[in-house]
Amino acid sequence: MIPVCHVDALAEGAAVRIQADVPIAVFRAEGELYAVDDTCTHQDASLTDGYLEGCWVECPLHASTFDLRTGRPSGPPAKRPLRTHAVTVTDDMIYVLPAPAAAS
């Protein structure tokens, strides 16, 4: 598991980027914690720089939106979903357990 930050350090509607095998974005949205790959599946853009509305994050480059709960895009230009990761809180510390990379 990768430590992220103290639970109070991630405000509602905020995101933080951590490094694993690929960058991961950790969001606090609608009172829950979510972790997804930080790079848009359409083009190289950091989703931590995107616009968050509810449980959807919009890519800052070309307006593709992704559901933080499932990783699925709402539609083009992104077609592939983001990889999602497990998030836990232990002793007021947020941790991410990265999901395995997809087989090529």
Side-chain angles (χ1 to χ4, degrees):
M1 290 210 289
I2 300 171
V4 177
C5 63
H6 191 273
V7 72
D8 292 337
L10 188 60
E12 178 67 27
V16 64
R17 179 181 169 130
I18 63 170
Q19 189 60 47
D21 62 329
V22 298
I24 294 174
V26 181
F27 293 88
R28 183 181 290 240
E30 297 187 343
E32 299 292 330
L33 297 168
Y34 301 97
V36 296
D37 283 354
D38 185 46
T39 305
C40 178
T41 60
H42 171 254
Q43 195 171 19
D44 190 23
S46 173
L47 296 174
T48 57
D49 295 332
Y51 174 71
L52 185 64
E53 184 171 329
C55 288
W56 291 85
V57 62
E58 181 179 300
C59 176
L61 288 185
H62 41 73
S64 284
T65 58
F66 296 90
D67 188 329
L68 297 175
R69 298 164 291 201
T70 64
R72 292 184 182 192
S74 63
K79 297 178 184 173
R80 291 180 293 119
L82 297 168
R83 183 171 55 153
T84 60
H85 307 278
V87 181
T88 62
V89 176
T90 304
D91 296 327
D92 292 328
M93 186 71 174
I94 300 170
Y95 294 90
V96 170
L97 178 59
S104 300

